[in-house]
C-alpha cells in the first residue's frame, strides 16, 4: 500500500478561500518535505519540516512526526496557487531518498 | 538555494535506442538521486549516489544504469529504451552533512516511440 497518503486528491477553490491539505505516513519517519509542482512540471521545495510549524507567506506547514502526519494550510488562495502539492517522507535511512505521495491537485478560480 | 541542472529538458527516443540523461549540481552536495514520475505512481527512486564513482539501486532500477563520474555530475542511462520508460525524470541532490533537505532539477520529459 501507499506509504504516504495525501488528501484530498483534488481541490477546487474560489480565489480568497483557505485550504488544508493533509499528509499521513504509514511508517516511522525521520523528516518530511512539502513540494509544489507547477503546471508545467517543475518542482519547488516549499518546506523542509522535520517537526513543528513553519510559515512562508500564505503557506503554513505543521508536522507532528510522532503522529506521522503533516498538513499544509493555504490562506487566501490565489489563482497562482493552482498546481499540485506533493508531500514526501524520509525514512531513518536517509540514503534511500524520499518517498512521495500522489499529490493534491489544487485549482483556484476567480 | 541549490542549483540542479538537467539536460536535455525533453527528448524523443526510439525503442531500443540508448538514452543518456545528464544532471549537474553546483552546490557541492554529496547525495544525488534520479526519480521518475508517472501518472498514478508519483515520483519513484531509480538510482542514487553518495560519492563519486559509486551508485546504488533505488526502488525501480530495472532497465536503468547510473553513472557518477564526479561529485557534480550524475547521469541516468537507458541502454535499450522501451515504451514503458516514457515518463518525466527528475534529478535531485542533498547535503546530508547539513540536513537532509532535497533539491530538485526542473525535470526531463522523455518520450519513447
Amino acid at each position: 500500500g501507499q506509504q504516504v497518503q495525501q488528501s484530498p486528491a483534488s481541490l477546487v477553490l474560489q480565489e480568497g478561500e483557505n485550504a488544508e491539505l493533509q499528509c499521513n505516513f504509514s511508517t516511522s519517519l525521520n523528516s518530511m518535505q512539502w513540494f509544489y509542482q507547477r503546471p508545467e512540471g517543475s518542482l519547488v521545495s516549499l518546506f523542509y519540516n522535520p517537526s513543528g510549524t513553519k510559515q512562508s507567506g500564505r503557506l503554513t506547514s505543521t508536522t507532528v512526526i510522532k503522529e506521522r502526519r503533516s498538513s499544509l494550510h493555504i490562506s487566501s488562495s490565489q489563482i497562482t496557487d493552482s498546481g499540485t502539492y506533493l508531500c514526501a517522507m524520509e525514512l531513518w535511512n536517509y540514503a534511500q531518498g524520499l518517498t512521495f505521495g500522489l499529490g493534491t491537485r489544487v485549482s483556484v478560480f476567480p | 538555494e541549490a542549483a540542479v541542472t538537467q539536460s536535455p529538458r525533453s527528448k524523443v527516443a526510439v525503442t531500443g535506442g540508448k538514452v543518456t540523461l545528464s544532471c549537474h549540481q553546483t552546490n557541492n552536495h554529496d547525495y544525488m538521486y534520479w526519480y521518475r514520475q508517472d501518472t498514478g505512481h508519483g515520483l519513484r527512486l531509480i538510482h542514487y549516489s553518495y560519492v563519486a564513482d559509486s551508485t546504488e539501486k533505488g526502488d525501480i532500477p530495472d532497465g536503468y544504469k547510473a553513472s557518477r563520474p564526479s561529485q557534480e555530475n550524475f547521469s541516468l542511462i537507458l541502454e535499450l529504451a522501451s515504451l514503458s520508460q516514457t515518463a518525466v525524470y527528475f534529478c535531485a541532490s542533498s547535503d546530508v552533512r547539513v540536513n537532509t533537505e532535497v533539491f530538485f532539477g526542473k525535470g526531463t520529459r522523455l518520450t519513447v516511440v
Side-chain angles (χ1 to χ4, degrees):
Chain A
Q2 197 74 22
Q3 289 186 289
V4 181
Q5 297 277 359
Q6 289 193 244
S7 60
S10 63
L11 196 55
V12 178
L13 300 169
Q14 189 167 24
E15 197 172 16
E17 288 184 327
N18 299 332
E20 186 98 352
L21 283 57
Q22 300 291 338
C23 188
N24 290 282
F25 311 103
S26 63
T27 186
S28 297
L29 64 156
N30 183 43
S31 70
M32 62 81 57
Q33 275 184 259
W34 281 99
F35 295 89
Y36 167 66
Q37 187 163 31
R38 296 188 175 108
E40 45 85 1
S42 62
L43 288 167
V44 178
S45 178
L46 296 176
F47 295 101
Y48 169 71
N49 194 11
S51 191
T53 299
K54 292 188 177 182
Q55 183 175 1
S56 175
R58 295 179 294 102
L59 301 179
T60 303
S61 169
T62 300
T63 297
V64 185
I65 288 285
K66 290 184 177 180
E67 296 181 10
R68 304 178 187 176
R69 61 178 175 85
S70 182
S71 64
L72 181 69
H73 182 82
I74 306 172
S75 64
S76 301
S77 61
Q78 298 180 1
I79 293 172
T80 52
D81 294 332
S82 296
T84 300
Y85 293 79
L86 300 168
C87 68
M89 70 173 185
E90 173 202 287
L91 297 174
W92 287 100
N93 178 6
Y94 53 75
Q96 295 179 354
L98 296 171
T99 300
F100 282 82
L102 297 181
T104 295
R105 183 184 295 270
V106 174
S107 301
V108 184
F109 294 95
Chain B
E1 187 173 313
V4 180
T5 305
Q6 294 183 230
S7 62
R9 293 293 317 280
S10 66
K11 183 174 180 64
V12 178
V14 177
T15 303
K18 183 177 181 179
V19 176
T20 300
L21 307 182
S22 299
C23 180
H24 179 78
Q25 54 103 355
T26 59
N27 285 72
N28 200 33
H29 284 180
D30 46 1
Y31 276 78
M32 295 187 75
Y33 310 86
W34 277 106
Y35 290 85
R36 67 176 277 173
Q37 185 176 32
D38 306 88
T39 303
H41 288 284
L43 280 93
R44 293 178 291 173
L45 182 65
I46 307 171
H47 284 286
Y48 67 95
S49 168
Y50 55 86
V51 68
D53 295 322
S54 177
T55 64
E56 306 292 334
K57 294 180 179 179
D59 299 323
I60 53 165
D62 292 346
Y64 302 94
K65 291 183 179 179
S67 172
R68 182 125 183 238
S70 65
Q71 185 169 26
E72 298 79 19
N73 296 294
F74 191 36
S75 298
L76 185 68
I77 302 151
L78 291 66
E79 294 279 3
L80 295 170
S82 66
L83 295 175
S84 64
Q85 293 177 313
T86 293
V88 179
Y89 292 85
F90 288 94
C91 178
S93 72
S94 66
D95 186 351
V96 300
R97 297 164 295 181
V98 176
N99 58 38
T100 53
E101 185 174 6
V102 181
F103 298 90
F104 280 81
K106 293 184 181 296
T108 295
R109 184 173 299 275
L110 175 66
T111 303
V112 183
V113 297

